[in-house]
Amino acid sequence: QYAPVARACTEAAAALSKDTSAASIQALAKVLKTERVFWGTRAACAKALGQLRTPGARAALLASLSVKHPKARRAVVAALGNFRGDEEISKALAAMAKSGDASGFVEGELGRALGRLRGEHAVETLTKLMGRVAFQDAVRVGAIDGFAELKDPRGWQPVLDALAPGQPVFGPRAAIIALAKLAEPLAQK
């Protein structure tokens, strides 16, 4: 927080990702919520909190879901995806996806995080995200990546649909990679 250069603050955040003390979590959360701090430093704080995966880090990230800068908000969503199996986080991200976000890149990251969380309503939410139009097909690509992370058989059809002719180039590329990940459980049998 007190380093005069953004890079030094970012490196400090990365160093704190190994310290699970309450003081470290509080410092990272404080910087993350401070809107005047460079977004890259705030993203590093979110990433550090996501790596810690403690109850305090979880609470700090959930409290930061509404930060103003979209790149910092995207990092918060990505960090929350590290809490695999946490149904409360899954519900919070599903609600955020339902209401939408001004940034397509944040919505795309919602798809990835929901897939990593493997929550109860992930398939339903990811299917809805597949229909959203965004720059560089960011939302649909995120949803496809989410299906790949989820590894649920119900993800096959939406991912296959992304390969239909006439689709923007980003979606089919992500779909091919997702199909390989979706097939992994079948290869292990």
Side-chain angles (χ1 to χ4, degrees):
Q1 171 183 348
Y2 298 108
V5 180
R7 180 174 175 171
C9 290
T10 302
E11 289 175 3
L16 289 176
S17 70
K18 297 170 183 72
D19 182 4
T20 59
S21 70
S24 292
I25 292 169
Q26 186 178 17
L28 290 167
K30 182 178 178 181
V31 173
L32 180 56
K33 289 181 184 177
T34 306
E35 295 291 338
R36 63 178 175 76
V37 174
F38 172 59
W39 70 263
T41 300
R42 295 168 67 207
C45 290
K47 182 178 179 182
L49 288 166
Q51 289 171 342
L52 290 173
R53 286 186 238 138
T54 65
R58 176 185 173 277
L61 287 166
L62 281 171
S64 300
L65 266 176
S66 60
V67 296
K68 289 182 184 174
H69 200 289
K71 291 180 182 179
R73 197 166 53 252
R74 181 180 181 184
V76 170
V77 170
L80 284 168
N82 292 336
F83 291 82
R84 181 166 284 166
D86 189 314
E87 198 58 39
E88 183 183 344
I89 292 175
S90 184
K91 286 178 183 176
L93 295 185
M96 188 175 176
K98 184 178 180 180
S99 63
D101 192 273
S103 169
F105 293 107
V106 173
E107 287 188 338
E109 200 59 55
L110 281 166
R112 286 181 198 86
L114 285 165
R116 286 195 315 273
L117 287 167
R118 298 185 177 159
E120 184 179 332
H121 303 290
V123 172
E124 175 187 327
T125 306
L126 291 172
T127 303
K128 289 178 182 174
L129 287 175
M130 290 288 287
R132 296 206 184 144
V133 178
F135 176 69
Q136 292 184 345
D137 216 12
V139 179
R140 194 163 63 120
V141 169
I144 291 168
D145 292 345
F147 279 122
E149 291 289 336
L150 192 59
K151 295 183 181 173
D152 186 302
R154 296 174 290 174
W156 278 91
Q157 194 57 53
V159 172
L160 285 171
D161 291 345
L163 291 171
Q167 301 292 327
V169 69
F170 302 102
R173 185 181 314 146
I176 290 168
I177 295 167
L179 288 173
K181 287 185 178 180
L182 284 167
E184 283 175 2
L186 299 174
Q188 294 173 357
K189 287 184 180 179

